[in-house]
Amino acid sequence: MSRSKTDSGKRPVKIRPPSPKTAPRQTAGRSLSCEPPTKSIIQRRTQSLPSPSERSRLSRRASVRFVDSLGLDLENVKVFKSGEDPFVPEHVLFRLLMNAELASSKGLEISLPYLKPMFSVQPGDCSNFTERLCCQQVCLERVLCYEPGIIGIVQVVNLAFEKEVSVRYSFTNWKSCSETKAYWVASKFISNGPCCDTFRFHLPVPPYILHPGAVLEFAICYKVMGMQFWDNNAGQNYKLTCQSYNLPVPKECENSMIHFI
């Protein structure tokens, strides 16, 4: 059998599988691999964490501000002029004096002011109290002195249901005066006397008058049925004077008292 020219002119092509060591051929811009392309990992600093230089700059600008519940400043700057003495509260001066006494190793004493009635007996304890009440229609019965002020008990004859009791008082020898209202407490019968109403009043005592020698004066006014009745202690007014007494403090209480103040 004869071969044709076309068959004799062709040579057989050998097919050989690629070597496993040969790297896959790449086309321009694309990879023939099935694996996803690798990306470089770039570590980036978070924005909430400042750098050391930024932290040092922020620390220099940091400040502390104290405010109350309304956001107002708690600090108060007071500028004193030359020759102007600052005001020092009395409790601070008292503590400084106590510390000075302790430092000098002397016995510690506290000077306490108090108001003392200039009448020796309470008016309600006098034998002629009922007689005075029937004559004046109003009488001071008792005075109680304590630190915030004065409490007084007054008896008035029950002349009518509508009535008013007030107290006029002065700390300046009547150069100026004030008036306060008394309040009804109870009704009672006085032995061998008329039916009376009990009133109670309170006189505040300002701290600035609590120095030895200060005097409090007062009188009582009773208004009923368009009339006025007064009890002014037979024209002399009721007077209380401020005095002081020294209270020694035991040695075992000195340190605890300093901490308490």
Side-chain angles (χ1 to χ4, degrees), residues 7 17 24 36 49 67 115 119 125 153 184 211 253 255:
D7 294 338
L49 181 63
V67 297
L115 287 171
F119 39 94
D125 296 336
I153 306 298
W184 181 86
H211 58 85
C253 298
N255 294 333

Side-chain angles (χ1 to χ4, degrees), residues 161-205:
F161 179 77
E162 296 290 339
K163 58 179 67 70
E164 181 181 341
V165 179
S166 60
V167 180
R168 189 171 298 176
Y169 62 97
S170 174
F171 297 101
T172 60
N173 194 20
W174 300 109
K175 295 178 182 178
S176 61
C177 63
S178 301
E179 193 166 316
T180 186
K181 186 179 179 181
Y183 296 92
W184 181 86
V185 177
S187 298
K188 68 176 182 178
F189 282 93
I190 296 180
S191 59
N192 301 324
C195 176
C196 296
D197 285 336
T198 303
F199 282 78
R200 176 182 180 271
F201 66 87
H202 170 255
L203 298 183
V205 178

Side-chain angles (χ1 to χ4, degrees), residues 106-121:
K106 295 180 180 179
L108 181 61
E109 291 183 346
I110 302 176
S111 181
L112 298 177
Y114 71 100
L115 287 171
K116 180 181 179 181
M118 299 182 67
F119 39 94
S120 58
V121 181

Side-chain angles (χ1 to χ4, degrees), residues 6-259:
T6 58
D7 294 338
S8 61
K10 292 182 181 181
R11 295 182 179 180
V13 179
K14 296 181 180 182
I15 299 175
R16 185 177 61 184
S19 175
K21 296 183 179 179
T22 306
R25 193 172 50 178
Q26 296 183 355
T27 59
R30 289 191 305 172
S31 175
L32 298 179
S33 175
C34 296
E35 296 294 331
T38 59
K39 296 182 179 180
S40 60
I41 300 175
I42 301 175
Q43 294 183 354
R44 182 177 297 175
R45 185 182 300 274
T46 177
Q47 295 181 358
S48 62
L49 181 63
S51 63
S53 59
E54 293 176 349
R55 285 200 300 268
S56 61
R57 187 175 68 256
L58 293 176
S59 62
R60 288 194 297 267
R61 293 187 302 174
S63 60
V64 178
R65 180 170 173 259
F66 296 95
V67 297
D68 57 8
S69 59
L70 299 179
L72 302 177
D73 290 334
L74 292 178
E75 61 180 3
N76 186 14
V77 179
K78 171 67 175 177
V79 179
F80 293 97
K81 299 179 180 179
S82 58
E84 182 182 358
D85 295 332
F87 173 75
V88 181
E90 292 185 1
H91 69 277
V92 176
L93 293 176
F94 180 66
R95 183 165 184 173
L96 292 175
L97 290 175
M98 291 183 64
N99 288 333
E101 290 287 340
L102 292 175
S104 60
S105 300
K106 295 180 180 179
L108 181 61
E109 291 183 346
I110 302 176
S111 181
L112 298 177
Y114 71 100
L115 287 171
K116 180 181 179 181
M118 299 182 67
F119 39 94
S120 58
V121 181
Q122 293 285 356
D125 296 336
C126 296
S127 58
N128 62 341
F129 177 75
T130 304
E131 180 182 352
R132 290 179 57 240
L133 179 59
C134 294
C135 179
Q136 299 178 167
Q137 309 300 319
V138 54
C139 270
L140 175 68
E141 182 179 14
R142 198 162 303 277
V143 172
L144 306 174
C145 303
Y146 69 117
E147 185 178 355
I150 305 299
I151 292 179
I153 306 298
V154 179
Q155 297 293 340
V156 299
V157 178
N158 189 11
L159 300 178
F161 179 77
E162 296 290 339
K163 58 179 67 70
E164 181 181 341
V165 179
S166 60
V167 180
R168 189 171 298 176
Y169 62 97
S170 174
F171 297 101
T172 60
N173 194 20
W174 300 109
K175 295 178 182 178
S176 61
C177 63
S178 301
E179 193 166 316
T180 186
K181 186 179 179 181
Y183 296 92
W184 181 86
V185 177
S187 298
K188 68 176 182 178
F189 282 93
I190 296 180
S191 59
N192 301 324
C195 176
C196 296
D197 285 336
T198 303
F199 282 78
R200 176 182 180 271
F201 66 87
H202 170 255
L203 298 183
V205 178
Y208 61 83
I209 75 158
L210 291 178
H211 58 85
V215 178
L216 166 62
E217 298 184 55
F218 69 89
I220 303 169
C221 179
Y222 174 33
K223 298 178 183 180
V224 60
M225 297 186 302
M227 299 180 292
Q228 289 187 6
F229 301 96
W230 286 85
D231 180 16
N232 57 6
N233 193 21
Q236 298 181 2
N237 296 323
Y238 290 99
K239 299 180 181 180
L240 297 93
T241 179
C242 181
Q243 301 181 7
S244 61
Y245 66 95
N246 294 329
L247 178 65
V249 178
K251 288 293 183 181
E252 58 272 13
C253 298
E254 290 178 354
N255 294 333
S256 61
M257 189 171 185
I258 291 295
H259 292 294

